[in-house]
Amino acid sequence: MLKISPRKPVDQQLERKDILDTARELFVSEGYRGVSMRLIASSLKVSHGAIYYHFKNKASLFYAIVTEGFLSLDKELENTMAMELNNETKLREVFIAYMKFGINYSNYYEIMFLIKDDELNTLIHQEPNQSYENFAKAVYQLCDPQKVNLQRIWSIFLSLHGFVTHYIKSGQSFDEIEGLVNSHADFLIKSLEL
Amino acid sequence: MLKISPRKPVDQQLERKDILDTARELFVSEGYRGVSMRLIASSLKVSHGAIYYHFKNKASLFYAIVTEGFLSLDKELENTMAMELNNETKLREVFIAYMKFGINYSNYYEIMFLIKDDELNTLIHQEPNQSYENFAKAVYQLCDPQKVNLQRIWSIFLSLHGFVTHYIKSGQSFDEIEGLVNSHADFLIKSLEL
DNA sequence: AACTTAACTGACCACTGGTTAATTAAAGGG
DNA sequence: CCCTTTAATTAACCAGTGGTCAGTTAAGTT
């Protein structure tokens, strides 16, 4: 019979933050589906059941990580909006920043907007809408109200979404497709008839 | 010891077509990830190992089904191009048909353009490009060459792709979003400045 | 000290895709 | 017809997944 010594001394106890840090690190390189609870546990040198004391399930664990993604995307938008540029150039930069975020943080983007997983999607239901609203407000602010309405902004968003979705699938780096990024941004700017 | 009687009489032998028919039926309602080899086998009342005599692996089995999806999409495009309509209206119908296909055959669309699966993606590498080329040719044919280039057509395609991707995720029916379909089609038509 | 709670382990479950030795029917050849 | 080879299938196996839980020990409380 193997000796089981489950509860560890206080200074060795697994903390929620340790789990999150390890999961995040693995997630960034392997994606949601590429990271198993067992992989996280073995990286932490604990049994995989120990994770379930701290998190209800895999979706809950990764929900904490995905909210970081939404914060990052919002921060990118904020930073772009704070640039000293004329409206049209700034708008173009907003589009480019969105595409750049999606490609550079593809595993985040996937879990934020693409993955169909019942448990995960139950948890993530407000954040994508909020993220879109922030985007829409920014775009509306930079446009002439006579030239743009909500439907058009929504179409712009879907076009950006399509760009990111396609290139996440194809796996190319941002540097490889920068020309295409610029071209798509130009297409969308032109569609607004500014 | 249970009696094993593996090879069945000729008239009861499992045929490749039977597997494909059952897999397709399950796939249409449950999607690629929702259908296991064991589910297909139990539906056919055979052992799941029997499928591997006929198909190398799950990806190969479903590759046969996904090619049907590409054929269907091409057929939709063809049918739309055969309509007696002026160029702009026909172009708009092409866009609508694409979005309609994606929403109505969402599990096909997912496996054709969205799913990241190494084995499946090894098999499916020409078809999406071919499908896009057919689309691009049709669009180019309906447009004024002075007003459109390959980059713009590509952006149109990505915009349609984004629309479908988003609404596949949200799970709404075509009827529920028909207004949005029309609105997005109008956005794209207007972007061409016809 | 005794009791309760917290934190964890190892084994379990059901499920997944894929593999393989054994088994039987079918096909081929003498 | 008989024997051999090939085809088609099964049941058991493997390794992996997310999740569960009785048992064990440390920590906390009285």
Side-chain angles (χ1 to χ4, degrees):
Chain A
M1 281 300 149
L2 289 181
K3 186 181 116 180
I4 305 182
S5 50
R7 188 163 188 188
K8 295 178 174 174
V10 172
D11 62 332
Q12 291 172 39
Q13 283 189 8
L14 183 62
E15 294 187 359
R16 197 176 157 96
K17 181 182 180 330
D18 300 323
I19 302 173
L20 282 170
D21 289 344
T22 298
R24 184 187 303 110
E25 194 177 314
L26 293 167
F27 166 72
V28 167
S29 56
E30 312 296 332
Y32 179 66
R33 292 219 153 92
V35 180
S36 68
M37 301 299 267
R38 283 173 163 86
L39 183 60
I40 298 168
S42 66
S43 298
L44 287 165
K45 297 184 168 48
V46 298
S47 76
H48 88 273
I51 303 188
Y52 292 90
Y53 178 78
H54 297 265
F55 293 94
K56 181 168 182 286
N57 50 28
K58 185 179 181 180
S60 300
L61 166 56
F62 279 91
Y63 177 61
I65 291 174
V66 72
T67 56
E68 296 169 6
F70 285 111
L71 292 174
S72 294
L73 183 55
D74 286 345
K75 178 58 67 177
E76 285 294 322
L77 181 60
E78 247 179 71
N79 290 343
T80 309
M81 291 299 281
M83 285 179 178
E84 300 278 356
L85 298 169
N86 68 54
N87 280 0
E88 181 171 324
T89 307
K90 191 182 285 189
L91 189 58
R92 188 169 177 276
E93 290 301 321
V94 166
F95 295 162
I96 289 172
Y98 186 90
M99 290 186 272
K100 189 171 182 181
F101 176 86
I103 302 297
N104 285 338
Y105 298 91
S106 57
N107 287 320
Y108 272 104
Y109 195 89
E110 277 190 327
I111 199 171
M112 286 158 72
F113 294 109
L114 292 174
I115 287 177
K116 285 171 70 175
D117 174 283
D118 288 344
E119 284 167 323
L120 203 47
N121 295 153
T122 296
L123 294 169
I124 308 173
H125 57 283
Q126 284 291 352
E127 291 86 354
N129 293 333
Q130 187 57 56
S131 181
Y132 168 70
E133 267 180 45
N134 296 337
F135 172 84
K137 277 190 198 134
V139 172
Y140 195 73
Q141 207 175 321
L142 297 174
C143 292
D144 175 358
Q146 314 274 42
K147 292 280 173 69
V148 82
N149 57 32
L150 286 183
Q151 287 191 330
R152 185 162 290 203
I153 296 178
W154 181 237
S155 284
I156 299 273
F157 175 76
L158 291 177
S159 298
L160 292 169
H161 182 57
F163 184 96
V164 176
T165 299
H166 174 82
Y167 285 103
I168 282 180
K169 170 83 190 290
S170 77
Q172 286 154 292
S173 71
F174 181 76
D175 288 345
E176 289 175 289
I177 60 171
E178 195 169 359
L180 295 164
V181 168
N182 291 329
S183 166
H184 196 60
D186 290 336
F187 167 74
L188 296 178
I189 290 289
K190 201 167 179 81
S191 76
L192 289 173
E193 299 172 308
L194 297 173
Chain B
M1 279 302 152
L2 289 180
K3 182 182 124 184
I4 306 181
S5 51
R7 187 162 188 189
K8 295 178 174 175
V10 173
D11 63 332
Q12 288 173 40
Q13 283 189 8
L14 183 62
E15 296 188 358
R16 195 174 158 100
K17 180 179 178 334
D18 299 325
I19 302 172
L20 281 170
D21 289 343
T22 298
R24 184 186 304 110
E25 194 178 315
L26 292 168
F27 166 72
V28 167
S29 56
E30 311 296 332
Y32 179 66
R33 293 222 152 91
V35 180
S36 69
M37 301 300 265
R38 282 172 165 87
L39 182 61
I40 297 167
S42 66
S43 299
L44 289 164
K45 297 183 166 51
V46 297
S47 75
H48 85 275
I51 303 189
Y52 291 91
Y53 178 77
H54 297 266
F55 293 94
K56 180 168 182 284
N57 51 28
K58 185 179 181 180
S60 299
L61 166 55
F62 279 91
Y63 176 63
I65 291 174
V66 70
T67 56
E68 296 167 7
F70 285 111
L71 291 174
S72 294
L73 182 56
D74 287 344
K75 177 60 66 176
E76 284 294 323
L77 181 60
E78 249 181 71
N79 290 344
T80 310
M81 292 299 281
M83 284 179 178
E84 302 276 358
L85 298 168
N86 68 56
N87 281 359
E88 181 172 324
T89 306
K90 191 183 285 189
L91 189 59
R92 186 169 178 278
E93 289 302 318
V94 166
F95 296 162
I96 289 171
Y98 185 91
M99 290 186 271
K100 188 171 183 180
F101 176 88
I103 302 297
N104 285 339
Y105 297 91
S106 57
N107 287 320
Y108 273 103
Y109 195 89
E110 277 190 328
I111 198 172
M112 286 158 70
F113 295 110
L114 292 172
I115 287 176
K116 286 171 70 176
D117 175 281
D118 288 344
E119 284 167 324
L120 203 47
N121 295 153
T122 296
L123 293 170
I124 307 173
H125 58 287
Q126 283 290 354
E127 291 86 354
N129 294 332
Q130 187 58 57
S131 181
Y132 168 69
E133 268 179 47
N134 296 339
F135 172 84
K137 277 190 201 135
V139 174
Y140 195 73
Q141 209 175 323
L142 296 175
C143 291
D144 175 356
Q146 314 273 44
K147 294 280 173 71
V148 81
N149 58 34
L150 285 184
Q151 288 192 331
R152 184 161 291 203
I153 298 178
W154 181 236
S155 283
I156 300 273
F157 174 77
L158 292 177
S159 298
L160 291 170
H161 183 57
F163 184 96
V164 176
T165 299
H166 173 81
Y167 285 104
I168 283 181
K169 171 83 189 292
S170 76
Q172 286 154 293
S173 69
F174 181 75
D175 288 345
E176 287 174 292
I177 60 171
E178 194 169 359
L180 296 164
V181 168
N182 290 330
S183 166
H184 195 60
D186 290 336
F187 166 75
L188 295 177
I189 290 289
K190 201 165 177 82
S191 76
L192 289 172
E193 297 172 307
L194 298 174

